[in-house]
Amino acid sequence: MRRLRFLCVLCSFLVAQASCSFLHCVSISPQSPAVELGTNLTAFCILNQTCLQEEFKSRISSKVLFWKVGTTEIPESQYTLVNDSVSSVTFTPTLAMHSSLTCSFKAYGQTETTLHGIYFSLGYPPEKPENLTCVCYNGKSLTCTWEPGRPTIMPTTYTLKQYWALEKKKECVAKAGESSCTLYHPDFIMYIDTTFMVEAENELGKAVSHHVVFDIISIVKPDPPNILSVSSVLQKALRIEWKNPIDNEDLKYNLRYKPIDSTEWSEVPSEDIQKTRSSFTLQGLQSYTVYVISVRCKLIRAAFWSDWSKEYTATTSESEPSRGPEFWRKISQSDSDEKRVVQLMWKDLQSHANGIILGYNVTVKRGPEVVNSFTVEDRTCNITVSKDSYEVLLTAYNSQGSSQSKLIIPSVTDKKVVQPPDLNLKAFPKDRRLWVEWTPPGRVLGYVIEWCSNSESMDCDAEWQREPGDTTGTFLRGDIKPFVYYLIRLNPLHGDGQERSSTLGTYLQQGVPDQGPTVHAKSFGKSWVTLAWKPIPLHKQNGFITNYTIKYGDNYSPLKVITVNSTVTEYTLKSLAAKTTYSVTVTAYTEQGPKAGLPLSVTTLPFDNGEVEAIVVSSCLGFLVFILVLCFLFCNKREQIKKHIWPNVPDPSKSNIAQWSPQTPSRHESKRPPFQDGPFTDVSVVKITEKNKSESDQDLTCGDQKNTSEGLSSGIGGSSCLSSPQLSGSDSNSISGAQNTSSTVQYSTVIMGGYQGQTPMFSRSESTQPLLISEERPDEQQMPSEEETPTASQYFKQNFTQEDGVRIQEATNHILTLAGFGNGHDTVDLTDGQNANPDCPPQEDALNDEQKTYLPQNARQGGYLPQ
């Protein structure tokens, strides 16, 4: 590695030595050329073969040469082989190229060796300087300026030359990059014509300006005068003293002045101060006003004014106020005592004060009588007056005098005349201020313009200003802002004090509202919604509302848009779907654009107001009509309906069986009191005991010896027993069991023979229908009195009392007597509660000559009576 590094260093050293030794044998022409941008540069590389042969014992052919601009090799297509010893190259240089051009070849086969190189410069030739002007500053220096024209890019020299009487004077060479040059006295001479010119030169060429000839005294620009003092020597006058910049020369002056708060200058006429001087007195100024003063001068024969001197301030002396204050009032409503409070207000006199205002004197007069007089220092006060007309005098005073203003307070009885339309009050922006103009209503004392910001009435802290009677338009003086609503009232001042005002609202500049309308649903129904919204607050409108748009729709249909004018704050949407949610948005528009409010969701009702009540009333009326129709049908079709609901059950009391016994007493002749009502549950069996029985009497007992007994027993309950469940008069527990088990009611009658000794016969009814309460015979529903005979329809009664048993026993004995059982038979025992067995009596009872029969049960109204 060390050997390799050593060989590289050695080769580099040898190449460098070779390059240095080639310099005196190779040359490039031209040497350091200046090239104008946009043109071609042609260079030649010349090899001195003799020198090369003597020095290196070898020759280099021009064929192996190549050219480079900086580090960029120029293409061989731009080479030209002049001969074996000369090679040329032609190219167009640009500002992006490096400024070096080299001629090289590759030594030892590979190592690049530079034979020679040059530097070239790029640029433009200078143009002819124009507009050569010269100024001599206060006679001490002379400065000339010119316009050099197009930049040359390369170094260019500008030389100011002067000639006087064909004699060349001292020249001035401008500094690099500057287009002016200054000569100092005594390198120039005044009071003689001198010729001036400018010469521009660089490597690409030379240019000379036009020759200018003038006397230097005519181009002298003096220094500004130096104001020494300003003093107030008289009222409304100031004396200014200064020092002139040049002596022994005729000068003239300009003097300007202005109040300190003004932007416009006033100048003293030039003819008043044409001669050389060092002081001047300004007259006709405003009293007690701060003025700013400045002065300048020039030589009478020269063309240039000096600069304005440094500004100097001074204050004029005081004088009496030039006019009275601007005076206005605000009258409140009369109270119960017909007293009015009047607020008096006036403006600061400002420049018309002509001094320091020490105070204000207010005098209130009613006719020639002075009602009140007082002094205030503020610019407002309140007075209390009656309903009469008053004159108020306001006097402002300072140390030099006073001035007065007058105001009329009209009486309450004076009619306020409405301003006719020919006043034509207008307000609009003008020069970024608010301009108000009107048509004069006639001869007036003046005008008072009042305005309120963001208020719809003049009951506010209004600003105001007063204008002369001959004015027809003015700017509002105050802080007038854009996007603010101003209510303006113009009050022409008449001698009688009556008000003939006109009002107008306006904006200096309109914009988009700060907020949109807030909408709510005032009421809604099945197919309509009434929307209401409050107007946007005046201070957030930022302009006149031109109209509102209402956008509404549901989730399934496109939005609908309705436009209403700016005075509408309530609207009813119609033809809406029932029980549907709608989204509603109200947007306010001004001239500058819209502002939407917050959306509102409202759902319509499923029924309109009163619709539910109508449905309920209609349903009730229909139901009532239906009931009435049913009642009418029931009354007319009572018998048919009764047959379907209550089947016609035969009345056992009307059975022909009751007529088989001619000796049966009429049931209507019975003197028994009516039995107590009670539910019929079953048939009771009455046991009849006889001491002497014949064989034939056993037909009444259970047995199958005779057919008559079978017939009798099978007719009751459908069994072979003559007995049904026997119940005593006091057995109440068996009643309910009998009611639950018996599905039919069995009726029986004892048939008494008309012949003595004849065996009594039993008759039964085949009816299996239950006994009914006597709805079918309403004439027998009445309960008979004790003297009356009970009705024929009496149900059998099961629950007996002790009295019932006694009566039944008597009736049974009577029946047995009639039947031929006479005195020799036992009486019926109804009080025996032992025979409660519902089964047939034992066989041995029949063999003991005990004769049994069916007896009627307790009679019930509508049931059977004993035969």
Side-chain angles (χ1 to χ4, degrees), residues 64-325:
V64 300
L65 299 180
F66 60 91
W67 296 85
K68 297 181 70 176
V69 176
T71 59
T72 303
E73 184 175 345
I74 300 175
E76 291 184 5
S77 59
Q78 298 178 241
Y79 301 167
T80 302
L81 295 178
V82 179
N83 53 42
D84 191 50
S85 299
V86 179
S87 174
S88 68
V89 65
T90 301
F91 66 99
T92 302
T94 61
L95 293 177
M97 292 182 178
H98 197 272
S99 60
S100 64
L101 177 65
T102 60
C103 175
S104 306
F105 83 106
K106 291 184 179 180
Y108 307 106
Q110 295 298 330
T111 304
E112 180 180 322
T113 301
T114 300
L115 296 176
H116 203 278
I118 62 172
Y119 286 95
F120 59 89
S121 59
L122 299 175
Y124 296 101
E127 293 183 343
K128 181 180 178 180
E130 300 289 343
N131 297 329
L132 176 61
T133 58
C134 298
V135 177
C136 180
Y137 291 100
N138 210 48
K140 297 178 181 179
S141 62
L142 176 66
T143 300
C144 295
T145 59
W146 59 87
E147 294 180 2
R150 179 182 60 183
T152 60
I153 300 177
M154 61 175 51
T156 302
T157 302
Y158 293 89
T159 303
L160 176 63
K161 298 182 178 181
Q162 59 175 332
Y163 297 91
W164 172 67
L166 302 178
E167 181 180 354
K168 186 178 181 181
K169 299 296 181 182
K170 185 175 181 180
E171 298 177 351
C172 178
V173 178
K175 296 180 180 180
E178 295 184 358
S179 57
S180 65
C181 195
T182 301
L183 294 171
Y184 294 93
H185 191 270
D187 293 337
F188 58 88
I189 300 175
M190 291 188 293
Y191 306 108
I192 191 172
D193 291 337
T194 305
T195 302
F196 292 89
M197 56 173 285
V198 176
E199 182 181 84
E201 183 179 4
N202 62 18
E203 293 183 82
L204 296 177
K206 180 188 296 185
V208 179
S209 68
H210 291 292
H211 291 60
V212 178
V213 180
F214 48 79
D215 186 357
I216 295 178
I217 193 65
S218 66
I219 60 172
V220 172
K221 180 180 180 180
D223 293 337
N226 183 22
I227 298 178
L228 301 177
S229 65
V230 179
S231 59
S232 178
V233 293
L234 298 171
Q235 284 187 353
K236 302 180 180 181
L238 291 174
R239 181 177 178 83
I240 303 104
E241 296 182 355
W242 66 82
K243 181 180 179 181
N244 291 315
I246 299 177
D247 297 330
N248 303 322
E249 292 291 341
D250 293 334
L251 301 174
K252 62 180 180 179
Y253 306 90
N254 276 345
L255 182 62
R256 66 179 184 178
Y257 60 95
K258 68 171 184 176
I260 194 171
D261 56 353
S262 176
T263 57
E264 299 180 358
W265 290 91
S266 300
E267 291 190 8
V268 176
S270 58
E271 59 270 14
D272 293 345
I273 47 176
Q274 286 187 350
K275 296 181 179 180
T276 303
R277 60 198 309 161
S278 60
S279 65
F280 187 82
T281 301
L282 288 173
Q283 299 180 1
L285 303 178
Q286 297 178 7
S287 299
Y288 201 70
T289 303
V290 179
Y291 282 91
V292 179
I293 302 169
S294 182
V295 64
R296 67 178 181 175
C297 65
K298 77 165 188 170
L299 275 67
I300 293 178
R301 295 187 295 175
F304 300 106
W305 285 92
S306 69
D307 295 332
W308 287 102
S309 67
K310 184 179 179 180
E311 294 178 353
Y312 201 99
T313 59
T315 304
T316 55
S317 60
E318 289 189 12
S319 64
E320 63 181 13
S322 57
R323 64 173 177 82

Side-chain angles (χ1 to χ4, degrees), residues 505-526:
T506 187
Y507 284 88
L508 175 62
Q509 180 182 348
Q510 297 191 53
V512 178
D514 290 336
Q515 73 177 39
T518 302
V519 63
H520 66 278
K522 184 176 181 181
S523 59
F524 50 89
K526 178 181 179 181

Side-chain angles (χ1 to χ4, degrees), residues 13 21 34 42 49 77 102 129 237 290 440 520 665 711 758 843 865:
F13 176 76
S21 59
T42 300
Q49 298 293 346
S77 59
T102 60
V290 179
H520 66 278
Q758 186 178 359
Q843 186 68 25
L865 288 176

Side-chain angles (χ1 to χ4, degrees), residues 331-335 339-341 416:
I331 305 174
S332 64
Q333 297 293 331
S334 302
D335 57 13
K339 297 294 183 181
R340 297 177 292 169
V341 176
K416 294 186 177 181

